[in-house]
């Protein structure tokens, strides 16, 4: 496994520490050609298709009405006698959405085989994303740091994050992201968008740096520390509620 940082572009952000990315290489430039070919297929005229879970299909993205390769993650029931909606993941970009039957078409195998999925799921090492009200701010802060930039990712490990009880693997790449030597996980923590993950081990080279950044954000009352304290678990939240009574 390569231990050198590699160039990426972040294509989707789901929380203050989870995202999808494309590795910048020859295949990503070929992706433009694939996209043109897909639009030329005129899928709107193809018959509707009822796909199975796990199938790779052509899906019409709601933001631009263009067609992309997507995997069916689940079938979403609309109630008795109504057509299913489908939760899909755009396999070259990583974003997910729920689509009606009318935006789904069968995809010829040649488009599936042309290139492997270009999106990888990533997670920032040592960074814990806040819940509830602060979650949106963390996503916005993360977007600000990455939008339109080529970044470098150093992969530390991978893990299977498929939901328990499901077949197959859903690989997440645990990475450190940098922009011109600036560690983005550190930036998110120092700005009070996120906090240090308790699972980060003391001997980890990031441990001291990240804790120092968190202490700074807490002292300055940035973001999640605006009230000086931010509960990290259900137990701490319950304790806070009791103290405030």
């Amino acid at each position: 496994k390569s231990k050198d940082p590699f160039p990426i572009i972040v294509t989707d952000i789901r929380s203050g520490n989870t995202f999808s990315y494309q590795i910048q290489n020859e295949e990503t430039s070929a992706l433009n050609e694939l996209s043109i070919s897909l639009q030329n297929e005129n899928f709107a005229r193809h018959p509707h298709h009822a796909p199975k879970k796990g199938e790779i299909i052509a899906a019409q993205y709601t933001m631009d009405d263009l067609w992309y390769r997507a995997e069916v993650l689940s079938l979403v029931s609309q109630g008795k006698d109504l057509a299913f909606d489908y939760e899909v993941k755009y396999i070259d970009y990583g974003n997910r959405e729920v689509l009606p039957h009318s935006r789904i078409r069968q995809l010829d195998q040649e488009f599936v085989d042309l290139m492997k999925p270009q999106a990888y799921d990533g997670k920032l090492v040592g960074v814990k994303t806040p819940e509830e009200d602060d979650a949106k701010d963390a996503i916005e802060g993360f977007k600000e740091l990455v939008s339109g930039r080529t970044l470098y990712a150093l992969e530390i490990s991978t893990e299977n994050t498929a939901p328990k009880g499901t077949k197959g693997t859903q690989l997440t790449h645990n990475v450190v992201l940098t922009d011109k030597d600036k560690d983005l996980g550190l930036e998110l923590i120092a700005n009070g968008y996120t906090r240090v993950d308790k699972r980060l081990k003391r001997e980890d080279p990031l441990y001291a740096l990240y804790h120092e950044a968190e202490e700074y954000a807490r002292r300055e009352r940035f973001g999640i520390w605006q009230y000086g304290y931010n509960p990290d678990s259900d137990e701490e939240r319950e304790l806070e509620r009791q103290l405030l009574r």
Side-chain angles (χ1 to χ4, degrees), residues 20 35-36 50 67 105 115 120 144 150 174 182-183 198 215:
S20 293
S35 182
I36 292 165
W67 294 88
R105 297 291 187 276
M115 63 170 70
Y120 298 85
E144 239 168 75
T150 296
N174 298 313
K182 189 167 71 177
D183 176 340
K198 281 182 173 169
E215 204 38 60

Side-chain angles (χ1 to χ4, degrees), residues 49-52 57 72-76 83-88 97-101 104:
H49 175 58
K52 296 184 186 74
I57 48 139
V72 177
L73 298 180
S74 66
L75 277 58
V76 184
F84 280 105
D85 279 352
Y86 300 90
E87 186 193 1
V88 303
E97 69 174 343
V98 174
L99 292 179
H101 188 232
I104 289 189

Side-chain angles (χ1 to χ4, degrees), residues 123-128 154-157 174-178 181-187 189-190 195-197 199-215:
K123 187 176 184 185
L124 293 176
V125 168
V127 177
K128 185 177 192 302
L154 176 66
E155 186 173 296
I156 306 298
S157 62
N174 298 313
V175 300
V176 176
L177 273 192
T178 54
D181 296 333
K182 189 167 71 177
D183 176 340
L184 299 191
L186 185 73
E187 290 288 310
I189 293 168
R195 64 192 303 155
V196 182
D197 188 338
R199 290 171 302 178
L200 192 62
K201 293 185 169 64
R202 195 173 279 274
E203 62 271 19
D204 193 296
L206 299 172
Y207 184 91
L209 279 173
Y210 280 17
H211 276 279
E212 207 176 291
E214 184 175 283
E215 204 38 60

Side-chain angles (χ1 to χ4, degrees), residues 49-101:
H49 175 58
K52 296 184 186 74
K53 185 179 170 182
E55 189 177 334
I56 305 297
I57 48 139
Q60 191 180 30
Y61 184 37
T62 53
M63 296 294 279
D64 59 14
D65 286 338
L66 296 177
W67 294 88
Y68 299 94
R69 301 193 303 174
E71 179 187 356
V72 177
L73 298 180
S74 66
L75 277 58
V76 184
S77 173
Q78 285 300 307
K80 203 169 173 234
D81 302 330
L82 291 171
F84 280 105
D85 279 352
Y86 300 90
E87 186 193 1
V88 303
K89 172 186 175 182
Y90 294 98
I91 61 173
D92 298 310
Y93 301 91
N95 51 320
R96 290 94 158 137
E97 69 174 343
V98 174
L99 292 179
H101 188 232

Side-chain angles (χ1 to χ4, degrees), residues 12-55:
D12 185 50
I13 292 175
R14 286 180 292 287
S15 76
N17 66 355
T18 56
F19 58 100
S20 293
Y21 62 92
Q22 294 170 348
I23 298 172
Q24 296 300 285
N25 54 24
E26 298 76 39
E27 279 198 320
T28 36
S29 37
L31 190 57
N32 293 333
E33 290 165 36
L34 170 65
S35 182
I36 292 165
S37 305
L38 285 170
Q39 310 324 313
N40 288 340
E41 278 295 293
N42 207 347
F43 284 111
R45 292 190 175 175
H46 290 208
H48 286 196
H49 175 58
K52 296 184 186 74
K53 185 179 170 182
E55 189 177 334

